[in-house]
Amino acid sequence: MTWHSLTDWWWPYLFILLAGWLPTDIWRYLGVLIGGRVREDSDALIAVRAVATALVAGVIAQLILYPSGALAESSVFLRIGAAAVGFLAYLRLGRHVIVSVIAAEIALIIGLFLNF
């Protein structure tokens, strides 16, 4: 059986529902139900935050070290430098994520414009 062997019009919608929406939304609903009962300083919530932070750090590292598309044409030093500028902006300008993202983007655009 292949994807193309199923020709019914409703099959892609059922596939999206079963393979995409249902597995992720179950965990979201359970998180909402359980999250209201968990204390912020509990070991379970600290572990969840650590895993979430590690996942975000991994995605950022992958984007910096193994980019795709137009970003792959830039140097690794430019990408690391832009991330460092964003991190320093986060620390120096009030710990606002949006400010650090904008600072990193500006550094990356200037570096791409100057062919670093």
Side-chain angles (χ1 to χ4, degrees):
M1 177 186 263
T2 66
W3 173 262
H4 299 293
S5 66
L6 300 168
T7 58
D8 295 326
W9 67 269
W10 50 266
W11 170 244
Y13 300 107
L14 180 64
F15 183 78
I16 290 170
L17 178 70
L18 294 177
W21 174 77
L22 192 61
T24 58
D25 270 10
I26 287 174
W27 296 110
R28 290 178 187 166
Y29 293 135
L30 284 174
V32 168
L33 290 174
I34 296 171
R37 297 182 184 109
V38 177
R39 291 187 6 212
E40 282 192 42
D41 59 346
S42 70
D43 289 339
L45 197 57
I46 291 171
V48 167
R49 272 197 211 126
V51 170
T53 303
L55 287 171
V56 170
V59 168
I60 291 170
Q62 183 177 10
L63 288 172
I64 292 172
L65 298 176
Y66 305 106
S68 61
L71 194 58
E73 297 173 6
S74 65
S75 73
V76 68
F77 299 112
L78 174 61
R79 296 189 302 263
I80 292 173
V85 166
F87 182 65
L88 288 175
Y90 176 78
L91 292 177
R92 298 283 182 178
L93 300 175
R95 297 185 182 257
H96 298 288
V97 174
I98 190 69
V99 172
S100 64
V101 169
I102 291 171
E105 286 182 8
I106 290 170
L108 187 63
I109 290 169
I110 289 172
L112 288 172
F113 183 72
L114 297 175
N115 289 325
F116 279 128

